[in-house]
């Protein structure tokens, strides 16, 4: 039995080196020059090559160990031809890494300062390509220490491991020094996506740089969710007279909110028309009472009420996605946002507990909140807590539009202008007042079936307002 002890080489003036990576495992067959472990000083990373061919018998250090002296034994290798039964455990060599007494049977090999008989090609420790530049700051701690420990392995275990060697422990499972890890972190590069060109696929500084260069050179569309292509700057004045102006504060906030929703929410919009002929007839009959009450009765309060019922019966539309993307929050209340067009921009006051309020009460609240919005008198509280939003452009016109979900809500109803249309009743065309509806929803939470059921019920509720009482 011949055992080689591999020791810490000359530290080259460094006060301390750290074992930052153990590149092989007990039982691994190693060849001459194969990297055994990686040491890092303040300024350089050194891969320690094997001076002999053989089987790794045991480690006398673990990842994260800091070594201050050259000559400290690091690991032992059973040289080819030696019998595995003579393991270090039997030689009585200590398991503790620092200052461990060397077995008399073991030979000592220091790659940089060779003392023991060695193959002709006894290597010297070479600074790895990812050596930290002079100007680089103090190295950061490595990824979590790996499971390689300096415990003797029984012979049987060595044999089994040699047949089926475990992957070398590297903490995160990727071979890369702290400098490379830090570089990757700073550049936002996921190391797992970089192919390492170093020994044992070790990721080098050059690999990270090449990865970034390649990504930057890729067309944006192929980047798969990377940057948004910039809109080219246009000199409008070249084509005619122009003036410039500043967006209002509300305008800027709206732009930011819309952009956020547009980018985060996979939108689907479904369309349907509600036959509101009976609703309109009923509404006209209420005009007198509306005047008495001093309230304008428009279709909006009916739509609010119908939405609250449809939300109650289709609770998926009354959810929000939790930040972790794996959970949802189910709201048990029914507060509805109502988009209001104001001279200063779009505002969305919230009508609370719509399910518990009657049509007159809702009509009065819609008028009050609309007036407050236009007068710039809404409080922050009056604009918070919505479950779902209604955007009614019915008074303005238009046959349909696709509203943007007001995330983290998951649904929004766009209401367009009702118009009398010929509708086939199976025997004849009848003039019916049809209200175009568009339901946009967050497809991460709401499926087409959920959206379809919600919209179908909404259409039914508005087509037969007796159902609003149920
Ligand atoms: N179809 C036909 N007529 C409609 C209608 C519809 N869908 N909705 C409302 N109307 C009628 C009303 O009945 C009213 O007419 P009458 O006085 O004859 O009854 C008239 O249009 C004006 O209504 P209104 O706008 O004063 O009141 P409202 O309750 O319909 O709406 C509010 C209130 C606050 C929703 C509305 O004023 C508003 O600001 N809408 C704009 C919303 C918006 O900007 N959305 C886009 C957001 S995303 O960019």
């Amino acid at each position: 039995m011949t055992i080689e002890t591999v020791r810490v080489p000359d530290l080259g003036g460094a006060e301390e080196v750290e074992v930052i990576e153990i590149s092989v495992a007990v039982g691994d067959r190693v060849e001459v020059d194969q990297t055994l472990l990686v040491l890092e000083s303040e300024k350089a990373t050194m891969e320690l090559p094997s001076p002999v061919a053989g089987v790794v018998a045991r480690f006398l250090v673990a990842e994260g160990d800091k070594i201050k002296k050259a000559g400290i034994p690091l690991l032992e290798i059973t040289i080819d031809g030696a019998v595995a039964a003579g393991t270090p455990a039997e030689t009585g060599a200590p398991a503790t890494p620092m200052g461990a007494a060397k077995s008399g049977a073991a030979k000592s090999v220091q790659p940089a300062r060779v003392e023991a008989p060695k193959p002709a090609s006894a290597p010297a420790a070479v600074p790895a390509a990812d050596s930290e530049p002079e100007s680089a700051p103090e190295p950061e701690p490595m990824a979590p220490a790996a499971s390689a420990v300096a415990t003797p392995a029984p012979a049987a275990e060595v044999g089994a491991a040699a047949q089926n060697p475990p992957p070398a422990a590297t903490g995160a499972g990727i071979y890369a020094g702290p400098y490379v890890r830090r570089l990757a972190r700073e550049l936002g590069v996921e190391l797992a996506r970089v192919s390492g060109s170093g020994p044992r696929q070790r990721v080098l500084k050059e690999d990270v740089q090449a990865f970034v260069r390649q990504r930057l050179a890729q067309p944006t569309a192929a980047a798969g969710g990377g940057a948004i292509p910039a809109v080219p700057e246009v000199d409008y004045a070249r084509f005619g007279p122009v003036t410039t102006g500043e967006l209002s504060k509300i305008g800027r906030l709206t732009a930011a909110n819309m952009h956020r929703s547009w980018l985060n929410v996979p939108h689907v919009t479904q369309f349907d028309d509600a036959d509101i002929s009976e609703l309109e007839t009923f509404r006209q009959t209420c005009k007198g009472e509306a005047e008495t009450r001093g309230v304008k009765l428009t279709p909006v309060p009916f739509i609010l009420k119908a939405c609250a019922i449809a939300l109650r019966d289709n609770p998926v539309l009354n959810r929000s996605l939790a930040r972790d993307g794996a959970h949802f929050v189910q709201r048990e209340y029914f507060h509805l946002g109502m988009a209001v067009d104001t001279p200063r921009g779009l505002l969305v006051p919230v009508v609370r507990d719509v399910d518990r309020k009657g049509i007159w009460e809702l009509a009065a609240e819609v008028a009050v909140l609309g007036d407050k919005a236009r007068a710039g008198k809404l409080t922050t509280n009056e604009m918070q807590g919505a479950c779902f939003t209604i955007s009614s452009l019915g008074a303005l016109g238009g046959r349909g539009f696709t509203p943007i979900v007001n995330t983290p809500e998951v649904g929004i109803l766009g209401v367009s202008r009702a118009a009398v249309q010929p509708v086939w009743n199976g025997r004849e065309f009848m003039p019916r007042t049809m209200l175009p509806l568009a339901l946009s929803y967050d497809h991460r939470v709401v499926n087409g079936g959920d959206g379809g059921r919600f919209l179908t019920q909404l259409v039914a509720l508005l087509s037969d307002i007796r159902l609003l009482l149920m």
Side-chain angles (χ1 to χ4, degrees), residues 283 287 296-300 338-341 346 366 370 374 391-395 415-418 435:
R283 201 168 65 86
K287 286 252 164 171
K296 190 160 81 173
L297 188 62
T298 69
V300 169
M338 178 185 71
V340 180
D341 184 31
L346 179 66
V366 166
R374 281 181 281 268
S391 176
S392 172
L393 289 176
V415 182
S416 294
R417 188 167 187 78
L435 179 69

PDB file of all heavy atoms in Angstrom, residues 283 287 296-300 338-341 346 366 370 374 391-395 415-418 435, ligand 1:
ATOM      1  N   ARG A 283     -86.366  51.389 -16.522  1.00  0.00           N
ATOM      2  CA  ARG A 283     -85.617  52.590 -16.149  1.00  0.00           C
ATOM      3  C   ARG A 283     -86.426  53.849 -16.512  1.00  0.00           C
ATOM      4  O   ARG A 283     -86.473  54.813 -15.737  1.00  0.00           O
ATOM      5  CB  ARG A 283     -84.266  52.588 -16.873  1.00  0.00           C
ATOM      6  CG  ARG A 283     -83.211  53.456 -16.222  1.00  0.00           C
ATOM      7  CD  ARG A 283     -81.843  53.169 -16.821  1.00  0.00           C
ATOM      8  NE  ARG A 283     -81.750  53.529 -18.220  1.00  0.00           N
ATOM      9  CZ  ARG A 283     -81.447  54.740 -18.673  1.00  0.00           C
ATOM     10  NH1 ARG A 283     -81.195  55.710 -17.821  1.00  0.00           N
ATOM     11  NH2 ARG A 283     -81.390  54.973 -19.973  1.00  0.00           N
ATOM     12  N   LYS A 287     -88.187  57.290 -14.055  1.00  0.00           N
ATOM     13  CA  LYS A 287     -87.668  58.665 -14.215  1.00  0.00           C
ATOM     14  C   LYS A 287     -88.304  59.625 -13.203  1.00  0.00           C
ATOM     15  O   LYS A 287     -87.614  60.457 -12.599  1.00  0.00           O
ATOM     16  CB  LYS A 287     -87.927  59.159 -15.645  1.00  0.00           C
ATOM     17  CG  LYS A 287     -87.010  58.531 -16.673  1.00  0.00           C
ATOM     18  CD  LYS A 287     -85.996  59.523 -17.186  1.00  0.00           C
ATOM     19  CE  LYS A 287     -84.887  58.771 -17.886  1.00  0.00           C
ATOM     20  NZ  LYS A 287     -83.957  59.526 -18.597  1.00  0.00           N
ATOM     21  N   LYS A 296     -79.936  60.549 -10.768  1.00  0.00           N
ATOM     22  CA  LYS A 296     -80.024  60.145 -12.174  1.00  0.00           C
ATOM     23  C   LYS A 296     -79.866  58.627 -12.249  1.00  0.00           C
ATOM     24  O   LYS A 296     -78.863  58.086 -11.787  1.00  0.00           O
ATOM     25  CB  LYS A 296     -78.899  60.838 -12.958  1.00  0.00           C
ATOM     26  CG  LYS A 296     -79.062  60.657 -14.448  1.00  0.00           C
ATOM     27  CD  LYS A 296     -78.287  61.683 -15.239  1.00  0.00           C
ATOM     28  CE  LYS A 296     -76.838  61.311 -15.348  1.00  0.00           C
ATOM     29  NZ  LYS A 296     -76.064  62.164 -16.230  1.00  0.00           N
ATOM     30  N   LEU A 297     -80.927  57.993 -12.810  1.00  0.00           N
ATOM     31  CA  LEU A 297     -80.866  56.529 -12.876  1.00  0.00           C
ATOM     32  C   LEU A 297     -80.407  56.112 -14.267  1.00  0.00           C
ATOM     33  O   LEU A 297     -81.169  56.103 -15.225  1.00  0.00           O
ATOM     34  CB  LEU A 297     -82.240  55.937 -12.559  1.00  0.00           C
ATOM     35  CG  LEU A 297     -82.284  54.416 -12.405  1.00  0.00           C
ATOM     36  CD1 LEU A 297     -81.410  53.944 -11.252  1.00  0.00           C
ATOM     37  CD2 LEU A 297     -83.720  53.935 -12.210  1.00  0.00           C
ATOM     38  N   THR A 298     -79.113  55.754 -14.371  1.00  0.00           N
ATOM     39  CA  THR A 298     -78.527  55.316 -15.643  1.00  0.00           C
ATOM     40  C   THR A 298     -78.395  53.789 -15.597  1.00  0.00           C
ATOM     41  O   THR A 298     -78.660  53.164 -14.550  1.00  0.00           O
ATOM     42  CB  THR A 298     -77.134  55.949 -15.833  1.00  0.00           C
ATOM     43  OG1 THR A 298     -76.254  55.373 -14.880  1.00  0.00           O
ATOM     44  CG2 THR A 298     -77.177  57.471 -15.675  1.00  0.00           C
ATOM     45  N   PRO A 299     -77.936  53.150 -16.657  1.00  0.00           N
ATOM     46  CA  PRO A 299     -77.751  51.686 -16.588  1.00  0.00           C
ATOM     47  C   PRO A 299     -76.660  51.259 -15.596  1.00  0.00           C
ATOM     48  O   PRO A 299     -76.645  50.099 -15.158  1.00  0.00           O
ATOM     49  CB  PRO A 299     -77.349  51.314 -18.020  1.00  0.00           C
ATOM     50  CG  PRO A 299     -77.869  52.425 -18.880  1.00  0.00           C
ATOM     51  CD  PRO A 299     -77.792  53.659 -18.037  1.00  0.00           C
ATOM     52  N   VAL A 300     -75.775  52.195 -15.241  1.00  0.00           N
ATOM     53  CA  VAL A 300     -74.601  51.794 -14.444  1.00  0.00           C
ATOM     54  C   VAL A 300     -74.953  51.120 -13.111  1.00  0.00           C
ATOM     55  O   VAL A 300     -74.373  50.071 -12.778  1.00  0.00           O
ATOM     56  CB  VAL A 300     -73.637  52.988 -14.267  1.00  0.00           C
ATOM     57  CG1 VAL A 300     -72.560  52.693 -13.225  1.00  0.00           C
ATOM     58  CG2 VAL A 300     -72.978  53.324 -15.599  1.00  0.00           C
ATOM     59  N   MET A 338     -65.071  51.893 -10.251  1.00  0.00           N
ATOM     60  CA  MET A 338     -65.840  52.470 -11.358  1.00  0.00           C
ATOM     61  C   MET A 338     -64.976  53.548 -12.015  1.00  0.00           C
ATOM     62  O   MET A 338     -64.649  54.565 -11.394  1.00  0.00           O
ATOM     63  CB  MET A 338     -67.115  53.078 -10.771  1.00  0.00           C
ATOM     64  CG  MET A 338     -67.994  53.749 -11.785  1.00  0.00           C
ATOM     65  SD  MET A 338     -69.385  54.548 -10.968  1.00  0.00           S
ATOM     66  CE  MET A 338     -68.603  55.929 -10.154  1.00  0.00           C
ATOM     67  N   ALA A 339     -64.558  53.284 -13.250  1.00  0.00           N
ATOM     68  CA  ALA A 339     -63.683  54.251 -13.933  1.00  0.00           C
ATOM     69  C   ALA A 339     -64.454  55.529 -14.218  1.00  0.00           C
ATOM     70  O   ALA A 339     -65.584  55.493 -14.713  1.00  0.00           O
ATOM     71  CB  ALA A 339     -63.181  53.636 -15.227  1.00  0.00           C
ATOM     72  N   VAL A 340     -63.844  56.657 -13.863  1.00  0.00           N
ATOM     73  CA  VAL A 340     -64.477  57.957 -14.106  1.00  0.00           C
ATOM     74  C   VAL A 340     -63.518  58.814 -14.924  1.00  0.00           C
ATOM     75  O   VAL A 340     -62.348  58.975 -14.575  1.00  0.00           O
ATOM     76  CB  VAL A 340     -64.820  58.675 -12.774  1.00  0.00           C
ATOM     77  CG1 VAL A 340     -65.490  60.024 -13.055  1.00  0.00           C
ATOM     78  CG2 VAL A 340     -65.724  57.809 -11.915  1.00  0.00           C
ATOM     79  N   ASP A 341     -64.066  59.325 -16.001  1.00  0.00           N
ATOM     80  CA  ASP A 341     -63.299  60.178 -16.907  1.00  0.00           C
ATOM     81  C   ASP A 341     -63.336  61.609 -16.349  1.00  0.00           C
ATOM     82  O   ASP A 341     -64.413  62.179 -16.223  1.00  0.00           O
ATOM     83  CB  ASP A 341     -64.011  60.101 -18.270  1.00  0.00           C
ATOM     84  CG  ASP A 341     -63.293  60.861 -19.339  1.00  0.00           C
ATOM     85  OD1 ASP A 341     -62.063  60.941 -19.267  1.00  0.00           O
ATOM     86  OD2 ASP A 341     -63.972  61.358 -20.258  1.00  0.00           O
ATOM     87  N   LEU A 346     -57.914  59.770 -15.605  1.00  0.00           N
ATOM     88  CA  LEU A 346     -58.803  58.671 -15.223  1.00  0.00           C
ATOM     89  C   LEU A 346     -58.688  58.375 -13.727  1.00  0.00           C
ATOM     90  O   LEU A 346     -57.593  58.166 -13.213  1.00  0.00           O
ATOM     91  CB  LEU A 346     -58.391  57.426 -16.033  1.00  0.00           C
ATOM     92  CG  LEU A 346     -59.164  56.154 -15.779  1.00  0.00           C
ATOM     93  CD1 LEU A 346     -60.612  56.281 -16.223  1.00  0.00           C
ATOM     94  CD2 LEU A 346     -58.498  54.993 -16.515  1.00  0.00           C
ATOM     95  N   VAL A 366     -73.038  56.352  -7.200  1.00  0.00           N
ATOM     96  CA  VAL A 366     -72.344  56.535  -8.482  1.00  0.00           C
ATOM     97  C   VAL A 366     -72.262  58.034  -8.793  1.00  0.00           C
ATOM     98  O   VAL A 366     -71.204  58.554  -9.185  1.00  0.00           O
ATOM     99  CB  VAL A 366     -73.089  55.782  -9.625  1.00  0.00           C
ATOM    100  CG1 VAL A 366     -72.598  56.240 -11.004  1.00  0.00           C
ATOM    101  CG2 VAL A 366     -72.899  54.278  -9.477  1.00  0.00           C
ATOM    102  N   GLY A 370     -68.814  60.060  -8.832  1.00  0.00           N
ATOM    103  CA  GLY A 370     -68.474  60.650 -10.131  1.00  0.00           C
ATOM    104  C   GLY A 370     -68.215  62.152  -9.970  1.00  0.00           C
ATOM    105  O   GLY A 370     -67.209  62.673 -10.481  1.00  0.00           O
ATOM    106  N   ARG A 374     -64.602  64.143 -10.488  1.00  0.00           N
ATOM    107  CA  ARG A 374     -64.425  65.248 -11.440  1.00  0.00           C
ATOM    108  C   ARG A 374     -63.982  66.523 -10.736  1.00  0.00           C
ATOM    109  O   ARG A 374     -63.266  67.351 -11.295  1.00  0.00           O
ATOM    110  CB  ARG A 374     -65.723  65.469 -12.238  1.00  0.00           C
ATOM    111  CG  ARG A 374     -65.877  64.455 -13.369  1.00  0.00           C
ATOM    112  CD  ARG A 374     -67.140  64.677 -14.180  1.00  0.00           C
ATOM    113  NE  ARG A 374     -68.316  64.148 -13.491  1.00  0.00           N
ATOM    114  CZ  ARG A 374     -68.781  62.912 -13.666  1.00  0.00           C
ATOM    115  NH1 ARG A 374     -68.196  62.095 -14.518  1.00  0.00           N
ATOM    116  NH2 ARG A 374     -69.839  62.497 -13.000  1.00  0.00           N
ATOM    117  N   SER A 391     -65.780  49.735 -16.396  1.00  0.00           N
ATOM    118  CA  SER A 391     -65.435  50.926 -17.163  1.00  0.00           C
ATOM    119  C   SER A 391     -66.555  51.141 -18.175  1.00  0.00           C
ATOM    120  O   SER A 391     -66.698  50.376 -19.121  1.00  0.00           O
ATOM    121  CB  SER A 391     -64.094  50.703 -17.865  1.00  0.00           C
ATOM    122  OG  SER A 391     -63.799  51.813 -18.669  1.00  0.00           O
ATOM    123  N   SER A 392     -67.359  52.165 -17.929  1.00  0.00           N
ATOM    124  CA  SER A 392     -68.516  52.392 -18.799  1.00  0.00           C
ATOM    125  C   SER A 392     -68.274  53.574 -19.718  1.00  0.00           C
ATOM    126  O   SER A 392     -68.149  54.708 -19.269  1.00  0.00           O
ATOM    127  CB  SER A 392     -69.775  52.642 -17.954  1.00  0.00           C
ATOM    128  OG  SER A 392     -70.826  53.044 -18.803  1.00  0.00           O
ATOM    129  N   LEU A 393     -68.215  53.282 -20.992  1.00  0.00           N
ATOM    130  CA  LEU A 393     -68.106  54.348 -21.998  1.00  0.00           C
ATOM    131  C   LEU A 393     -69.434  54.510 -22.724  1.00  0.00           C
ATOM    132  O   LEU A 393     -69.503  55.095 -23.807  1.00  0.00           O
ATOM    133  CB  LEU A 393     -66.986  54.012 -22.997  1.00  0.00           C
ATOM    134  CG  LEU A 393     -65.559  54.113 -22.432  1.00  0.00           C
ATOM    135  CD1 LEU A 393     -64.543  53.658 -23.464  1.00  0.00           C
ATOM    136  CD2 LEU A 393     -65.254  55.533 -21.998  1.00  0.00           C
ATOM    137  N   GLY A 394     -70.494  53.971 -22.073  1.00  0.00           N
ATOM    138  CA  GLY A 394     -71.817  53.967 -22.709  1.00  0.00           C
ATOM    139  C   GLY A 394     -72.324  55.341 -23.080  1.00  0.00           C
ATOM    140  O   GLY A 394     -72.955  55.516 -24.126  1.00  0.00           O
ATOM    141  N   ALA A 395     -72.014  56.318 -22.245  1.00  0.00           N
ATOM    142  CA  ALA A 395     -72.512  57.668 -22.528  1.00  0.00           C
ATOM    143  C   ALA A 395     -71.771  58.280 -23.712  1.00  0.00           C
ATOM    144  O   ALA A 395     -72.283  59.203 -24.349  1.00  0.00           O
ATOM    145  CB  ALA A 395     -72.360  58.538 -21.285  1.00  0.00           C
ATOM    146  N   VAL A 415     -68.071  48.482 -20.736  1.00  0.00           N
ATOM    147  CA  VAL A 415     -69.460  48.648 -21.177  1.00  0.00           C
ATOM    148  C   VAL A 415     -69.494  49.691 -22.289  1.00  0.00           C
ATOM    149  O   VAL A 415     -68.990  50.798 -22.119  1.00  0.00           O
ATOM    150  CB  VAL A 415     -70.349  49.117 -19.993  1.00  0.00           C
ATOM    151  CG1 VAL A 415     -71.801  49.247 -20.429  1.00  0.00           C
ATOM    152  CG2 VAL A 415     -70.210  48.157 -18.810  1.00  0.00           C
ATOM    153  N   SER A 416     -70.082  49.320 -23.420  1.00  0.00           N
ATOM    154  CA  SER A 416     -70.178  50.272 -24.537  1.00  0.00           C
ATOM    155  C   SER A 416     -71.627  50.746 -24.684  1.00  0.00           C
ATOM    156  O   SER A 416     -72.480  50.442 -23.855  1.00  0.00           O
ATOM    157  CB  SER A 416     -69.653  49.627 -25.822  1.00  0.00           C
ATOM    158  OG  SER A 416     -68.267  49.382 -25.663  1.00  0.00           O
ATOM    159  N   ARG A 417     -71.873  51.477 -25.740  1.00  0.00           N
ATOM    160  CA  ARG A 417     -73.168  52.147 -25.852  1.00  0.00           C
ATOM    161  C   ARG A 417     -74.262  51.186 -26.308  1.00  0.00           C
ATOM    162  O   ARG A 417     -74.117  50.474 -27.312  1.00  0.00           O
ATOM    163  CB  ARG A 417     -73.055  53.294 -26.857  1.00  0.00           C
ATOM    164  CG  ARG A 417     -74.284  54.165 -26.911  1.00  0.00           C
ATOM    165  CD  ARG A 417     -74.019  55.443 -27.678  1.00  0.00           C
ATOM    166  NE  ARG A 417     -75.152  56.366 -27.587  1.00  0.00           N
ATOM    167  CZ  ARG A 417     -75.413  57.112 -26.533  1.00  0.00           C
ATOM    168  NH1 ARG A 417     -74.639  57.051 -25.468  1.00  0.00           N
ATOM    169  NH2 ARG A 417     -76.457  57.920 -26.518  1.00  0.00           N
ATOM    170  N   ALA A 418     -75.346  51.189 -25.575  1.00  0.00           N
ATOM    171  CA  ALA A 418     -76.479  50.344 -25.959  1.00  0.00           C
ATOM    172  C   ALA A 418     -77.108  50.911 -27.230  1.00  0.00           C
ATOM    173  O   ALA A 418     -77.141  52.128 -27.434  1.00  0.00           O
ATOM    174  CB  ALA A 418     -77.503  50.297 -24.827  1.00  0.00           C
ATOM    175  N   LEU A 435     -76.862  45.815 -25.251  1.00  0.00           N
ATOM    176  CA  LEU A 435     -75.748  46.477 -24.548  1.00  0.00           C
ATOM    177  C   LEU A 435     -74.464  45.668 -24.777  1.00  0.00           C
ATOM    178  O   LEU A 435     -74.353  44.529 -24.304  1.00  0.00           O
ATOM    179  CB  LEU A 435     -76.057  46.548 -23.047  1.00  0.00           C
ATOM    180  CG  LEU A 435     -74.993  47.187 -22.167  1.00  0.00           C
ATOM    181  CD1 LEU A 435     -74.886  48.682 -22.433  1.00  0.00           C
ATOM    182  CD2 LEU A 435     -75.299  46.941 -20.689  1.00  0.00           C
TER     183      LEU A 435
HETATM  184  N1  LIG B   1     -75.605  52.946 -23.342  1.00  0.00           N
HETATM  185  C1  LIG B   1     -76.395  53.966 -23.675  1.00  0.00           C
HETATM  186  N2  LIG B   1     -76.527  55.024 -22.867  1.00  0.00           N
HETATM  187  C2  LIG B   1     -75.851  55.073 -21.725  1.00  0.00           C
HETATM  188  C3  LIG B   1     -75.032  54.029 -21.328  1.00  0.00           C
HETATM  189  C4  LIG B   1     -74.945  52.937 -22.203  1.00  0.00           C
HETATM  190  N3  LIG B   1     -74.149  51.891 -21.904  1.00  0.00           N
HETATM  191  N4  LIG B   1     -74.497  54.339 -20.151  1.00  0.00           N
HETATM  192  C5  LIG B   1     -74.959  55.523 -19.804  1.00  0.00           C
HETATM  193  N5  LIG B   1     -75.771  55.978 -20.748  1.00  0.00           N
HETATM  194  C6  LIG B   1     -76.500  57.217 -20.774  1.00  0.00           C
HETATM  195  C7  LIG B   1     -77.107  57.489 -19.435  1.00  0.00           C
HETATM  196  O1  LIG B   1     -78.321  56.788 -19.282  1.00  0.00           O
HETATM  197  C8  LIG B   1     -77.266  58.960 -19.488  1.00  0.00           C
HETATM  198  O2  LIG B   1     -78.366  59.283 -20.289  1.00  0.00           O
HETATM  199  P1  LIG B   1     -79.756  59.727 -19.650  1.00  0.00           P
HETATM  200  O3  LIG B   1     -79.423  60.902 -18.803  1.00  0.00           O
HETATM  201  O4  LIG B   1     -80.563  60.015 -20.807  1.00  0.00           O
HETATM  202  O5  LIG B   1     -80.233  58.575 -18.874  1.00  0.00           O
HETATM  203  C9  LIG B   1     -76.049  59.414 -20.250  1.00  0.00           C
HETATM  204  O6  LIG B   1     -75.584  58.275 -20.949  1.00  0.00           O
HETATM  205  C10 LIG B   1     -74.928  59.976 -19.410  1.00  0.00           C
HETATM  206  O7  LIG B   1     -74.598  59.101 -18.358  1.00  0.00           O
HETATM  207  P2  LIG B   1     -73.436  59.495 -17.335  1.00  0.00           P
HETATM  208  O8  LIG B   1     -72.149  59.298 -17.966  1.00  0.00           O
HETATM  209  O9  LIG B   1     -73.707  60.861 -16.815  1.00  0.00           O
HETATM  210  O10 LIG B   1     -73.643  58.542 -16.127  1.00  0.00           O
HETATM  211  P3  LIG B   1     -73.324  56.995 -16.048  1.00  0.00           P
HETATM  212  O11 LIG B   1     -73.956  56.519 -14.803  1.00  0.00           O
HETATM  213  O12 LIG B   1     -73.684  56.272 -17.266  1.00  0.00           O
HETATM  214  O13 LIG B   1     -71.741  56.908 -15.896  1.00  0.00           O
HETATM  215  C11 LIG B   1     -69.612  57.333 -15.046  1.00  0.00           C
HETATM  216  C12 LIG B   1     -71.108  57.387 -14.780  1.00  0.00           C
HETATM  217  C13 LIG B   1     -68.901  57.932 -13.881  1.00  0.00           C
HETATM  218  C14 LIG B   1     -69.218  55.872 -15.227  1.00  0.00           C
HETATM  219  C15 LIG B   1     -69.317  58.103 -16.324  1.00  0.00           C
HETATM  220  O14 LIG B   1     -69.678  59.436 -16.144  1.00  0.00           O
HETATM  221  C16 LIG B   1     -67.871  58.064 -16.754  1.00  0.00           C
HETATM  222  O15 LIG B   1     -67.031  58.823 -16.300  1.00  0.00           O
HETATM  223  N6  LIG B   1     -67.555  57.199 -17.706  1.00  0.00           N
HETATM  224  C17 LIG B   1     -66.209  57.165 -18.305  1.00  0.00           C
HETATM  225  C18 LIG B   1     -65.480  55.919 -17.881  1.00  0.00           C
HETATM  226  C19 LIG B   1     -64.164  55.834 -18.595  1.00  0.00           C
HETATM  227  O16 LIG B   1     -63.505  56.801 -18.887  1.00  0.00           O
HETATM  228  N7  LIG B   1     -63.761  54.619 -18.917  1.00  0.00           N
HETATM  229  C20 LIG B   1     -62.582  54.385 -19.652  1.00  0.00           C
HETATM  230  C21 LIG B   1     -61.551  53.931 -18.696  1.00  0.00           C
HETATM  231  S1  LIG B   1     -60.210  53.196 -19.467  1.00  0.00           S
HETATM  232  O17 LIG B   1     -59.572  54.343 -20.303  1.00  0.00           O
END
